[in-house]
Amino acid sequence: SKTSNKMPGPKDRRAETLRGTTFLSEEGTGILRKKKIMVGTRMVEPIVIPDAYAETVVEIFHKGNCGTITRLTNILKSEVWFNRLAALVQERVKSCLNCTYMRNQPKIITAQREYDDKDPEYIGETLFADVITRNAHRAHDETTMKFWVVSDCISSYTRLYPVGNKENNAARATEILTESVADFNRGISGQVPIKIIMDGSSVNQSLKKKEIWKELNVEIVITEKTGGSKNYLAPLDSRIAKLSPVLQTEIWNKLEPKITALKVESKINSTKGGHGYSAFEIWNNRSQFSNIPLSINIKEIRDYIKESRKLSRHARERNEIKGRVRAPYVLKPFEKNDKYGGDLVSPI
C-alpha cells in the first residue's frame, strides 16, 4: 500500500477501502490522510482512522464536547475520518443524557384551556382559509402552483383561488378573501358576522388589519400554535389532505391554473361524505344528479361536528387526569438547575 500509494482493494478489506480519496502523509510512517474536505467554511485533511478504533475515537472526542450531532461531527471531521462517522456520532449523542438535554431543551408544560366552541348556526357563517402550494412540473412556466383554499365549516363546500408565486402578499390575499366572501354569501351577512379562520402567518396577520373587513361585517380569526383555537383549522387540514391527490393529478395535465382550480372544485364538492351528502348537495340543498330539492337536516350535521369535538376534549381530559397532556401546550424553555414542580412534567 505504501509503495503503490493505494489502499488494499475491496475484496481484501472492504470496510476500510478509501481508494482515490486519501494520500500518505509525510508527517510519519503509516499516517494516512483524507484529501481536502470542507468542514463549515474550512478546508481540512483529517487523519484516516481504522474502523476497529472508530468507536474509541468517538468516545474520546465526545468527552467535553457534549452538544448537537452536527457539532460533534464537525469536531471529528476537523481531525479524523473513518467509515460510518456520522452514524456512530448519531448513536453516541442519542445515548448521552447531557447531549439530549442540549439538543432538545426540556420544556415545562402547562395546559391551556380550549377556546369556546365556534359552532356556526348557518351555512356560510364560518369559513376556513389557507394557502396550498404544489409542484407544477413545468419547465417553461412557474415551477409551482399556489392556491388559496376556502372551505365552509358545515357544508365542506370548497373553492380554490389561483395566486401567482410572487403575488402571495396581504394586498392580493385581501382581494381573494373579499371575492370568497361574495362567493360564499348566502344572505346572512346582515344577521351575523362572517368568520374567516386562518393560521398565524405574516400575510394573514397583515390582512387582518385591513379596514375593509368592518365594512363587509367579516371577522378574521387568527389561530395560535399554543392555543386551543388551532384545533379549529383541523377540518381544513383534513379537507386539504383529501384535495391534494386530486389537485396533483389535475396539475399533471398542465392546464391553466383557473381551469385546474375549477376541475378540482367540481370533483371535491361532488364527493359524498360520511353523512351521505356531497358538499354541493348541502350547499344547494339539491341533488347533484337530478337537481331535485332535498330535505337535509343541518342540525344533525352540526351535532355530528360537535360530537367529534366533544370526543377530542374528553380524550384530552382523560390524559390530564393521568398526568399526560395532549396538545395544545404552552412551552417554556428549560433553564439550568430548573426543578420541575406540579403535576405536569417534561416528557423528556
Side-chain angles (χ1 to χ4, degrees), residues 127 150 161 175-185 196:
L127 308 176
V150 183
Y161 300 89
E175 292 177 9
I176 290 175
L177 291 181
T178 303
E179 183 182 348
S180 71
V181 169
D183 292 341
F184 283 84
N185 181 23
I196 302 179

Side-chain angles (χ1 to χ4, degrees), residues 189-326:
S189 58
Q191 306 174 41
V192 293
I194 306 299
K195 295 184 179 69
I196 302 179
I197 304 178
M198 299 182 292
D199 60 28
S201 69
S202 57
V203 171
N204 296 345
Q205 295 283 3
S206 298
L207 70 87
K208 182 181 179 181
K209 301 174 183 177
K210 303 288 184 180
E211 294 294 329
I212 191 174
W213 306 123
K214 293 182 181 178
E215 301 173 11
L216 296 174
N217 196 21
V218 172
E219 178 188 355
I220 303 294
V221 180
I222 301 295
T223 60
E224 302 173 3
K225 290 182 179 180
T226 58
S229 63
K230 181 66 176 175
N231 294 339
Y232 293 112
L233 273 183
L236 180 62
D237 293 338
S238 63
R239 290 168 195 176
I240 287 180
K242 296 175 183 177
L243 177 149
S244 290
V246 178
L247 175 60
Q248 197 66 63
T249 302
E250 293 299 335
I251 287 176
W252 285 337
N253 293 331
K254 297 183 179 181
L255 300 173
E256 291 300 316
K258 288 185 178 180
I259 299 175
T260 300
L262 290 172
K263 283 180 167 289
V264 174
E265 287 175 12
S266 176
K267 290 183 179 180
I268 291 299
N269 291 328
S270 61
T271 302
K272 292 184 180 291
H275 39 59
Y277 300 105
S278 67
F280 178 87
E281 291 174 330
I282 299 175
W283 183 261
N284 295 289
N285 204 27
R286 288 179 175 274
S287 172
Q288 63 186 14
F289 300 112
S290 63
N291 206 31
I292 297 174
L294 300 172
S295 57
I296 300 174
N297 191 337
I298 300 300
K299 185 179 181 302
E300 290 184 359
I301 297 177
R302 289 173 55 203
D303 291 341
Y304 181 83
I305 296 172
K306 290 171 68 175
E307 184 64 24
S308 63
R309 288 180 179 171
K310 184 178 178 181
L311 290 172
S312 178
R313 278 196 299 275
H314 284 178
R316 179 184 167 195
E317 289 168 1
R318 287 197 304 271
N319 285 339
E320 284 184 346
I321 292 171
K322 295 179 181 179
R324 299 191 298 266
V325 181
R326 202 165 155 255

